Amino acid sequence: MAEHAQGSTIVDVFWHNAARYGPRPALRRRVGDGWETLTWDEYARTVRRLGAGLVDLGLEAGDRVGILSSNRREWHLADLAVLSVGAVTVPVYPTNSSSQVAYVVGHSDCRVLFVEDIDQLAKVLLRRHDLPELERVIIFDHADGLDHDFVLELEELAELGDDELSLHPTVVDERSAAIHPEDLATIVYTSGTTGPPKGAMLTHGNISANIEHVTAVVPIGPDDRFLSFLPLSHIAERTVSHFGQILSGGETWFARSLVSVPDDLLDCRPTIFFAVPRVWEKFREGIREKVEESPLPQRQLGERYLHLAARKGGVTGAGGTLSTIETAQHRLLDAVVGRQVRSGLGLDRARFLVSGAAPIHPDLLRWFKGLGLPIAEVYGQTEDGAVTSINPPGAIKIGTVGPAAPGVEVCIGADDEILVKGANVGPGYWQDPAATAELLGADGWMHTGDLGALDRQGYLSITGRKKDLIINAAGKNISPQEIETRLRYEPLISQAVVIGDGRPYLTALLTLDPDAVREWAAHHGKSINDAEAMVSDPEVHAAIAASIEQVNDEHARVEGIKRWRLLPRDLSISSGELTPTLKVKRQVVANRWSELIDEMYAG
């Protein structure tokens, strides 16, 4: 690995690596049938022009600037331009409604806002009367008929920067040099699983500390490649494929969409890959489906390999330890079938695979481990820059989220809450002293709101979420998180929401996985291809009932699901039931399907 650039801020590192790796590729995006490259030289030159353009608009150090866009190279350019002149970046989820956009932009008092295209611009124009502090909008894509007193195209901002640089050639360098570690760098609004989003503040020092902590466990360098596809508005993706890429001197490739990720992976073949549990579940389903659809000889080899791999990984109920002959057989099949599986995913060159942002079932990790694809769970919060603990390569302990990252302290409070200290912990919430006091407390520890336990080796396990804790009618405390994760591991189930607070027993709202249920229907000779139509199929209900029984057998009686209902469709981001990182908004789901819930408790 290359020696990392030294500097007190990510901006320092960026300028250093841009000079160091000048003609090498930095960012790649899909154009037609190929990938267009932006070199480090071009990256730095554009950031300098855009940063100077912001200065020309009158932007001062500490001013807030929003970015409302999906993942694309302009997101990185805008972010670095904002940070390099001492301003504060405020990411906004592109899936947000106009009212949600207005809340984040208005609450943070953004003076300038970058938007992706005319559709995102429309959200802003619809609520412009609610945003008196917003002076300018910069649009990434070309658009006709703009109000140029309010909206500029990105190239127009760069041209303003050219004028500014002709008069003050060192203005951006001077602004960058004036940044201190304690200066605010970004305000990242939580996705709001309960209540309105809060703006978590992170300083330049917090970001630098977080990256330093992570790279002490996973060294990175200029040969590393990252695929950007999870929302950059979330601190985890931004840390990996944006800040991580800057520090590494390597490349970030931008997936065209979440749907295109399997194809984009084949082109990018990342060395470090971060995904949420739902993505790993989809990968598993895709591998199984591909094996099932193979011609007979290949299918038999594939099925045998997956069976042996599951046992080698230690998947529960897969059949136990391999014999000497089976171990040799697995080794032989892995060299052929396993290699094809890893190459077919585009992960054959990956040296570090990560899952985070939500719980993942241990057997799913064991399954991938058996395929030669060990996945490390990582744990953290927006409020501490995304990483509290991380499973180190070569020492992954499945079922845990790893030991505290170097430089981070973790302890378990009297009520089993996970508490955190470290230079990565931010100063609190923007314009919310009450929430900040609750987060940081008088004891100097950040209160995560998560429940957990530490083993003798210091590995952390997450046991639940304090606010999600169910207290049933008998006063029994039950954490629904593990039960829901286990339910989602069942082949046909996509999402699970366990209900039971103040109730006599637990119930669950479930959704079918559209891809899995279509495959199931084909396997059972059913002509129905519509996943929604399968919700009322008696055989589907029987399969789900068998899954519920299996899950109940693995839990104490009080933790068993007594009644359940299949929802007519899967949960989605667009419906407001999932966050952009695919976590369930529990209260939204409970409110939306309250009649079904009441029905399960009737009588």
Side-chain angles (χ1 to χ4, degrees):
M1 295 296 160
E3 180 185 351
H4 293 151
Q6 298 299 309
S8 59
T9 71
I10 195 69
V11 174
D12 294 335
V13 176
F14 171 73
W15 294 122
H16 182 280
N17 276 347
R20 184 180 188 181
Y21 298 114
R24 292 186 57 149
L27 307 176
R28 294 184 189 263
R29 66 178 178 183
R30 172 74 80 171
V31 176
D33 295 330
W35 291 82
E36 181 182 80
T37 298
L38 191 76
T39 67
W40 279 96
D41 280 334
E42 294 165 330
Y43 194 179
R45 184 161 54 250
T46 307
V47 166
R48 192 178 302 278
R49 295 177 70 205
L50 295 176
L54 293 173
V55 172
D56 187 81
L57 290 179
L59 201 71
E60 301 288 343
D63 284 343
R64 275 74 61 200
V65 180
I67 303 179
L68 173 60
S69 171
S70 59
N71 297 22
R72 51 190 289 174
R73 72 184 193 185
E74 289 86 355
W75 208 108
H76 288 216
L77 292 166
D79 188 29
L80 264 295
V82 172
L83 295 176
S84 68
V85 297
V88 179
T89 304
V90 182
V92 189
Y93 284 106
T95 52
N96 279 2
S97 65
S98 60
S99 60
Q100 291 169 324
V101 169
Y103 178 85
V104 172
V105 174
H107 187 266
S108 58
D109 296 322
C110 284
R111 289 185 60 192
V112 177
L113 176 66
F114 289 91
V115 300
E116 180 171 15
D117 53 25
I118 198 70
D119 291 333
Q120 299 296 351
L121 175 62
K123 296 178 184 178
V124 180
L125 297 179
L126 190 64
R127 303 299 296 266
R128 185 179 176 183
H129 61 281
D130 296 326
L131 303 169
E133 302 297 324
L134 186 61
E135 300 169 9
R136 288 285 186 138
V137 173
I138 316 295
I139 189 169
F140 292 157
D141 289 347
H142 172 72
D144 296 322
L146 298 176
D147 173 8
H148 286 274
D149 290 333
F150 183 60
V151 184
L152 291 176
E153 292 186 7
L154 193 65
E155 182 55 32
E156 291 176 306
L157 178 65
E159 290 170 359
L160 290 178
D162 293 337
D163 294 339
E164 181 70 25
L165 289 169
S166 67
L167 297 173
H168 306 101
T170 61
V171 63
V172 177
D173 297 314
E174 292 168 5
R175 287 284 194 99
S176 295
I179 299 170
H180 295 94
E182 62 270 19
D183 291 339
L184 190 60
T186 189
I187 304 172
V188 182
Y189 280 79
T190 62
S191 51
T193 53
T194 57
K198 298 189 289 290
M201 298 184 288
L202 293 172
T203 67
H204 283 272
N206 296 149
I207 292 171
S208 295
N210 186 63
I211 294 176
E212 181 181 338
H213 298 164
V214 175
T215 53
V217 179
V218 188
I220 54 179
D223 294 327
D224 279 314
R225 294 187 305 282
F226 309 83
L227 182 69
S228 174
F229 70 99
L230 294 171
L232 279 166
S233 301
H234 192 279
I235 193 62
E237 180 66 57
R238 193 173 171 201
T239 296
V240 175
S241 67
H242 184 20
F243 296 149
Q245 180 265 341
I246 290 171
L247 186 68
S248 73
E251 305 174 20
T252 285
W253 299 48
F254 294 95
R256 290 159 289 175
S257 68
L258 192 59
V259 174
S260 73
V261 166
D263 292 333
D264 296 329
L265 270 172
L266 293 174
D267 289 338
C268 176
R269 299 195 180 275
T271 59
I272 295 174
F273 183 69
F274 169 74
V276 295
R278 191 70 185 122
V279 172
W280 295 114
E281 290 165 4
K282 286 293 184 183
F283 285 172
R284 180 189 60 176
E285 292 166 12
I287 292 169
R288 286 174 166 172
E289 185 176 350
K290 192 168 184 178
V291 168
E292 182 70 25
E293 293 173 350
S294 299
L296 184 60
Q298 290 94 323
R299 185 173 76 245
Q300 290 175 329
L301 287 175
E303 289 173 347
R304 180 60 177 167
Y305 171 70
L306 293 183
H307 171 71
L308 292 174
R311 289 175 59 190
K312 182 176 176 60
V315 173
T316 304
T321 307
L322 299 181
S323 68
T324 303
I325 294 175
E326 289 171 330
T327 298
Q329 190 178 46
H330 173 269
R331 187 182 301 114
L332 179 62
L333 288 173
D334 187 70
V336 181
V337 181
R339 183 177 181 181
Q340 291 176 347
V341 168
R342 293 184 289 272
S343 177
L345 282 177
L347 296 177
D348 49 320
R349 299 178 190 172
R351 60 184 183 83
F352 194 59
L353 303 172
V354 189
S355 181
I360 188 169
H361 195 280
D363 272 342
L364 184 58
L365 299 179
R366 295 183 185 109
W367 193 83
F368 275 104
K369 178 186 176 184
L371 300 182
L373 294 170
I375 300 169
E377 264 199 281
V378 64
Y379 165 72
Q381 297 76 31
T382 303
E383 293 82 355
D384 71 354
V387 179
T388 297
S389 65
I390 181 171
N391 269 288
I396 294 172
K397 186 178 288 189
I398 292 175
T400 79
V401 292
V408 179
E409 295 180 68
V410 172
C411 75
I412 306 300
D415 58 354
D416 293 335
E417 183 178 11
I418 300 168
L419 309 178
V420 181
K421 271 186 183 179
N424 58 321
V425 175
Y429 297 113
W430 177 256
Q431 294 185 346
D432 197 338
T436 296
E438 183 179 350
L439 173 74
L440 300 177
D443 53 9
W445 291 86
M446 186 185 85
H447 292 241
T448 65
D450 291 319
L451 304 174
L454 289 165
D455 68 15
R456 292 180 179 180
Q457 288 75 43
Y459 280 69
L460 177 66
S461 298
I462 311 300
T463 58
R465 180 82 181 156
K466 284 179 70 173
K467 291 182 179 179
D468 293 342
L469 201 64
I470 290 173
I471 305 176
N472 68 11
K476 172 70 175 177
N477 287 357
I478 303 168
S479 176
Q481 194 173 58
E482 187 277 331
I483 303 171
E484 291 165 346
T485 301
R486 176 62 185 86
L487 287 167
R488 289 198 303 270
Y489 187 69
E490 290 297 301
L492 295 182
I493 297 175
S494 174
Q495 297 289 351
V497 180
V498 173
I499 312 294
D501 198 41
R503 308 277 194 167
Y505 51 83
L506 297 186
T507 61
L509 297 174
L510 309 172
T511 67
L512 293 177
D513 183 304
D515 295 329
V517 80
R518 288 189 191 99
E519 182 183 350
W520 181 91
H523 185 73
H524 286 75
K526 293 181 177 290
S527 59
I528 301 175
N529 291 320
D530 183 359
E532 293 185 17
M534 298 299 289
V535 168
S536 57
D537 186 275
E539 291 185 56
V540 170
H541 275 252
I544 296 295
S547 290
I548 295 290
E549 185 176 351
Q550 175 66 37
V551 174
N552 283 349
D553 287 344
E554 298 170 11
H555 292 82
R557 184 171 181 178
V558 71
E559 297 173 329
I561 304 299
K562 187 172 181 180
R563 295 180 181 175
W564 52 273
R565 294 290 184 273
L566 283 178
L567 300 184
R569 56 170 176 78
D570 203 359
L571 306 183
S572 67
I573 298 172
S574 59
S575 67
E577 296 155 337
L578 297 179
T579 71
T581 53
L582 307 181
K583 286 190 286 190
V584 173
K585 293 186 177 181
R586 184 181 301 276
Q587 197 57 51
V588 171
V589 173
N591 290 339
R592 187 159 295 170
W593 304 99
S594 59
E595 290 185 11
L596 268 184
I597 294 171
D598 291 341
E599 177 186 307
M600 288 190 286
Y601 290 101

